Amino acid sequence: QVQLVESGGGLVQAGGSLRLSCAASGRTFTAYAVGWFRQAPGKEREFVASMSRSGIVTSAADSVKGRFTISRDNAKNTVYLQMNSLQPEDTAVYYCAARSDSFGSYEYWGQGTQVTVSS
């Protein structure tokens, strides 16, 4: 079992930046691959970015490539999502997730943190 708690969301103007954090507790954090997802009002949850257990392999949605960066600090049991050049369409609740199988479904989810980008 692992528990995930996101933080760092808030209100920012278009073009601004935010860094989201996801603190993990429970089982050894390095046993899990991690990811960030988001869900805007009236829309389905969508993939944003992911990182392997080692931190070597990363992936990002086309809509955020070049603007968002996922990273992890295994010593701090924390995953980050650095978001730059934010746009109103990035407004959503952002969730972090973890999975023990790098190619399987995400088993654990945080409660989410709201990001609102004003134009």
Side-chain angles (χ1 to χ4, degrees), residues 7 9 19 27 32 35-36 48 68 70 73 83-84 87 96-97 104-105 117:
S7 62
R19 188 177 80 158
R27 288 190 58 190
Y32 297 91
W36 285 96
V48 175
F68 292 11
I70 186 172
D73 185 336
M83 305 185 295
N84 298 328
Q87 299 302 316
C96 69
S105 300
V117 185

Side-chain angles (χ1 to χ4, degrees), residues 103-118:
F103 301 101
S105 300
Y106 284 90
E107 303 154 82
Y108 305 103
W109 294 82
Q111 83 289 348
T113 185
Q114 176 71 46
V115 172
T116 303
V117 185
S118 63

Side-chain angles (χ1 to χ4, degrees), residues 1-6 22-29 31-37 45 79 95-101 104-112:
Q1 282 274 24
V2 64
Q3 294 77 43
L4 304 171
V5 179
E6 301 96 335
C22 175
S25 61
R27 288 190 58 190
T28 305
F29 185 53
Y32 297 91
V34 293
W36 285 96
F37 293 77
R45 186 168 58 194
V79 183
Y95 300 90
C96 69
R99 58 185 178 182
S100 54
D101 180 346
S105 300
Y106 284 90
E107 303 154 82
Y108 305 103
W109 294 82
Q111 83 289 348

Side-chain angles (χ1 to χ4, degrees), residues 8-20 66-68 81-87 90 115-117:
L11 174 64
V12 63
Q13 289 187 333
S17 299
L18 282 175
R19 188 177 80 158
L20 305 183
R67 301 189 299 124
F68 292 11
L81 184 69
Q82 178 66 46
M83 305 185 295
N84 298 328
S85 301
L86 283 161
Q87 299 302 316
D90 295 316
V115 172
T116 303
V117 185

Side-chain angles (χ1 to χ4, degrees), residues 27-106:
R27 288 190 58 190
T28 305
F29 185 53
T30 52
Y32 297 91
V34 293
W36 285 96
F37 293 77
R38 66 186 182 186
Q39 187 167 19
K43 295 186 177 181
E44 294 188 352
R45 186 168 58 194
E46 64 175 1
F47 167 77
V48 175
S50 65
M51 175 170 276
S52 64
R53 284 174 282 190
S54 65
I56 294 175
V57 179
T58 63
S59 179
D62 288 342
S63 59
V64 306
K65 280 182 180 176
R67 301 189 299 124
F68 292 11
T69 302
I70 186 172
S71 62
R72 67 189 295 168
D73 185 336
N74 287 336
K76 295 182 178 180
N77 287 356
T78 302
V79 183
Y80 303 99
L81 184 69
Q82 178 66 46
M83 305 185 295
N84 298 328
S85 301
L86 283 161
Q87 299 302 316
E89 52 266 34
D90 295 316
T91 295
V93 177
Y94 283 72
Y95 300 90
C96 69
R99 58 185 178 182
S100 54
D101 180 346
S102 294
F103 301 101
S105 300
Y106 284 90

